[in-house]
Each structure stands twice: as C-alpha cells, then as structure tokens.
C-alpha cells in the first residue's frame, strides 16, 4: 500500500512557510483544538458563550483520541505500519517514525518514480547530481594523492585508501622532465589543492550507478518501503498518549502490559524467562526516560545514530530546520554495586570514557553545527519496591511522577580559538 505524502510545498517564500506550518501544526497525534473563548463584549451574549463552550466540549472532551494501528516485528524489534493514512498522520503530527528506505519521511517510492521520469527525459535528479559531485571530489582527492606520491611526500597507500588504483609511474619516484606539474621538493613543498587537478577529472567520465538492473520491479513501488516506529516511539504513543494499538503477526492486539514487557526484553541478547529484564538499569528504560523527558519539554526527538549519538533534538521538526542538539544517554548508578549484578551488557555510554572518546563525538557534532548534550540518567538504588513498581506501565508512570529517575543535562562545546576570539 502506497504511503500518502503531505501536500507538496515548494519555494521558501511566505506562502510556502505558511503552508508548511499549517501542514505540521499539531505537535502530537491527538486532539489539541484549544477553546476559543475570549472576554465578553457588548456584541456577544451569554448564549454565544454557551454555544462555543458546548461545541468545544463536544469536539474534545467527548471525542476519544484517534487510534492508529501498527504491527510488531520481532526480527527488527520495531513496529511497522501499513495504513498510509495512519503513517502520515503520525509523521505530520509530531514527526514520529520514518520510512524504512528513507532518512525520515517515506519518500523512497516517489524518488524512484522521479528518477525513472528524469532518466526518460535524459536529465539528472537532484540526488544524482549530488552523487556526481561526490564522485568528482573523490577522483580529485585520488589525483592529489597520486601527485603527492610522485613527489615523494606520501606513501602509495594513500591512493589505494581512497579507492584509486596504483599505476606504474606511481612507484617510480618523483616526476621527471618538464611536465605540466607543480614543482615540489620532498618534505618541503606541498602539493596544490583539489582545484589544480579539476582538468584531469573533467576529462574522465564520472560513472553513476543509475541503471535499472539492480532496482526492484518499477511497475509497483508501493509495497517496497514500509513505515516503522522504534519501540521507544511505539511505547510513548501506546502507553503515554493512548493513540496506538500494536498487533502481533496473527493480527491480535497486543495488550499494553505485554508490549511493555516486549520493550523491556528487547534489551536482552537472549530472551529467557529466567533472566530478569524489569530493572531500573534496563537500557530500553533509560533510553525511553530521556526520550520522554525531552518530548515532555516540547522537543522533537529523533534517532541520532548517524552522528554517533542516541538522539537529535529539533525545535519544530526536520522539515523546518536541522537539529540543534545531539544527545548522549549516560547511565549513572546511585548505588555503584548494582552495576555488578546487571544481566545486561554494559551500556554503550557507560563506564569510564577517555577524553579521546569525548573529543571524537564532540568533533563529529561540532562539524555539523550541533551542540553535544550529555543526558545523565540517575538510576535509583535497586530495591524490591521499585522493581515491583516497574513491572507494569502504570507503575512506571508512578515512578516517573515520584521523580525516582532524574535526568541531568550537561552541554559540551568545542572551543575553537579562531572562531571565538575576544
């Protein structure tokens, strides 16, 4: 079933901005129509006020929240959605989920159709133009590395590391004769930049993989991509907003308690009844607490694996701007001995970290203009009371309201002397 897309919005003018704001006006996939009742004036009577109040209550108080339907996939440990209306409502009402073959909005089939039409017209799509520029830049780097090897200031491995092939004259030492090449001395001069070799690359034909041989049947692209939710998103929608029903492979509705247990068990490498997964240090629970924390503050939270972090925070959503903050979930035990008997593999951000690790993660996110945030989750001491409370979603809500888990944000910024001069 083909996933429906929101109305196409082009340009960056006022009309396009207003249309975008209207299409993505609702921050959550539930009824959020505010009551429009102002102060009474001479032109409005009590009967007008009563009618407006009754209409608002009929539309909001006596109307149940919309229910969306998804199917749990045990292999990928995610929730799939097949109804195009449900999928796009979750996307436009809070940016929940993503297309399985897309970065976020499920546009894979539309992009494939555009590629096919562009190929028939003999032109390149925007993605193909980007691919071509990247390939040209890669070839430029190979030519520069080849020049550095011939000049004796770089090993031949630099060519192969970029995907280039060694030639006979690449291992014969520096240049000979009066060729049209920069005059360099080994260890002294430097090889000129990429622009110098642009002529050599332009002579070569950049090969783009745009043929249909590896593509699926182009006659029916609607069933290739599906819309999926992470377990954190699914539990937030089902358990906290009550607007999602998750089904199993037999089309039976999974009770919320069972879905909660599936989410907690997803952190175990081997699902076994003898291994307890209901613990305050469950990795799924820690990730969910941070997700719930930032969602409750009004941020749009998306997966941040692309930038070596757990989450990305958007002010309004991916269609409006890039993410401003990159979040790392850092577990912090209130009672350190509790970390010794945990059945889970050590958290990927747990334990001692070197400054090299921090510098690596921070450098990646600084380069893409994101501020790194360390979200420290204070794990309460392991007691029978809190373990029993965490066995049900209702108990989890009570624990969260009581403040047993605390989230502390620490912002790390990379100091760049050239940019931050007094």
């Amino acid at each position: 079933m083909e996933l429906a897309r929101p109305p196409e919005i082009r340009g960056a003018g006022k009309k396009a901005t207003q249309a975008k704001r209207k299409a993505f006006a609702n921050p959550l996939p539930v009824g959020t129509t505010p009551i429009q009742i102002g102060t009474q004036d001479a032109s409005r009577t009590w009967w007008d006020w009563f009618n407006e109040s009754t209409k608002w209550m009929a539309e909001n108080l006596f109307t149940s929240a919309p229910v969306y339907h998804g199917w749990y996939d045990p292999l990928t440990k995610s929730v799939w959605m097949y109804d195009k209306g449900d999928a796009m409502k979750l996307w436009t009402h809070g940016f929940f989920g993503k297309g399985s073959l897309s970065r976020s909005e499920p546009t894979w089939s539309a992009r494939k159709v555009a590629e096919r039409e562009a190929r028939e017209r003999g032109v390149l799509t925007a993605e193909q133009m980007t691919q071509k520029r990247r390939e040209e830049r890669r070839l430029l780097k190979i030519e520069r590395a080849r020049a550095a090897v011939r000049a004796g200031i770089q090993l031949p491995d630099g060519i192969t590391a970029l995907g280039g092939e060694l030639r006979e004259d690449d291992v014969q030492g520096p240049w000979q004769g009066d060729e049209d090449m920069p005059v360099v001395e080994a260890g002294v001069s430097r090889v000129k930049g990429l622009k110098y070799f642009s002529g050599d690359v332009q002579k070569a034909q950049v090969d783009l993989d745009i043929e249909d041989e590896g593509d699926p049947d182009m006659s029916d692209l609607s069933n290739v991509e599906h819309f999926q939710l992470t377990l954190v998103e699914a539990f937030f929608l089902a358990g906290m907003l009550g607007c999602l029903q998750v089904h199993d492979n037999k089309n039976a509705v999974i009770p919320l308690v069972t879905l909660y247990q599936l989410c907690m068990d997803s952190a175990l490498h081997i699902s076994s009844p003898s291994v307890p997964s209901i613990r305050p240090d469950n990795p799924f629970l820690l990730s969910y607490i941070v997700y719930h924390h930032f969602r409750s503050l009004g941020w749009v939270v998306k997966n941040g694996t692309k930038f070596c972090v757990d989450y990305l925070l958007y002010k309004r959503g991916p269609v409006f701007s890039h993410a401003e903050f990159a979040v790392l979930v850092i577990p912090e035990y209130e009672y350190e001995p509790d970390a010794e008997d945990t059945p889970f593999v050590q958290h990927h951000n747990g334990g001692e970290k070197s400054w090299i690790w921090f510098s690596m993660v921070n450098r990646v996110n600084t380069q893409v203009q994101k501020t790194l945030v360390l979200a420290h989750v204070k794990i309460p001491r392991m007691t029978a009371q809190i373990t029993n409370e965490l066995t049900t979603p209702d108990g989890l809500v009570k624990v969260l309201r009581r403040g047993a888990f605390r989230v502390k944000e620490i912002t790390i910024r990379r100091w760049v002397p050239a940019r931050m001069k007094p």
Side-chain angles (χ1 to χ4, degrees), residues 39-151:
T39 57
Q40 293 193 18
D41 52 29
S43 61
R44 299 177 70 254
T45 64
W46 70 271
W47 183 252
D48 297 329
W49 182 90
F50 176 78
N51 287 336
E52 291 182 6
S53 303
T54 305
K55 181 180 179 182
W56 180 85
M57 288 188 292
E59 292 179 351
N60 294 273
L61 299 183
F62 304 108
T63 303
S64 59
V67 177
Y68 307 97
H69 300 273
W71 280 259
Y72 176 70
D73 180 60
L75 183 61
T76 59
K77 294 182 180 179
S78 62
V79 175
W80 295 15
M81 301 188 67
Y82 301 103
D83 185 87
K84 58 183 181 180
D86 285 0
M88 294 316 303
K89 283 181 181 178
L90 289 182
W91 172 252
T92 57
H93 293 58
F95 300 98
F96 293 93
K98 68 177 291 294
S100 59
L101 300 177
S102 304
R103 293 182 179 179
S104 52
E105 181 184 349
T107 58
W108 183 86
S109 58
R111 286 185 282 112
K112 283 298 179 183
V113 171
E115 287 181 12
R116 180 178 57 186
E117 294 177 352
R119 190 180 299 116
E120 293 174 353
R121 297 195 307 268
V123 297
L124 296 177
T125 63
E127 289 186 350
Q128 291 170 349
M129 289 295 295
T130 302
Q131 181 184 354
K132 182 179 179 181
R133 288 195 297 267
R134 288 175 178 172
E135 181 63 18
E136 289 177 348
R137 185 168 180 83
R138 188 183 71 87
L139 295 177
L140 287 173
K141 290 181 178 180
I142 292 175
E143 291 300 322
R144 184 172 63 179
R146 180 169 283 113
V149 170
R150 293 179 181 177

Side-chain angles (χ1 to χ4, degrees), residues 289-362:
I289 288 173
V290 174
Y291 181 89
H292 187 112
H293 172 73
F294 286 110
R295 272 285 183 179
S296 65
L297 295 176
W299 292 93
V300 174
V301 188
K302 301 299 292 182
N303 186 278
T305 305
K306 179 180 178 181
F307 301 108
C308 306
V309 294
D310 295 302
Y311 293 120
L312 297 176
L313 301 183
Y314 296 83
K315 274 190 175 180
R316 297 194 61 185
V319 303
F320 293 98
S321 62
H322 292 287
E324 287 195 34
F325 298 95
V327 180
L328 283 174
V329 179
I330 309 293
E332 186 177 334
Y333 284 88
E334 184 177 319
Y335 185 62
E336 286 297 332
D338 288 340
E340 299 176 359
D341 61 345
T342 179
F344 310 105
V345 178
Q346 185 181 26
H347 195 277
H348 56 277
N349 295 331
E352 295 184 359
K353 298 294 183 182
S354 65
W355 282 110
I356 296 177
W357 180 84
F358 274 110
S359 178
M360 173 189 67
V361 178
N362 199 26

Side-chain angles (χ1 to χ4, degrees), residues 214-235:
D215 294 341
D217 184 10
M218 301 297 288
S219 61
D220 184 14
L221 297 175
S222 59
N223 295 323
V224 178
E225 183 180 30
H226 66 270
F227 193 80
Q228 64 183 24
L229 300 166
T230 63
L231 289 182
V232 170
E233 292 175 320
F235 182 71

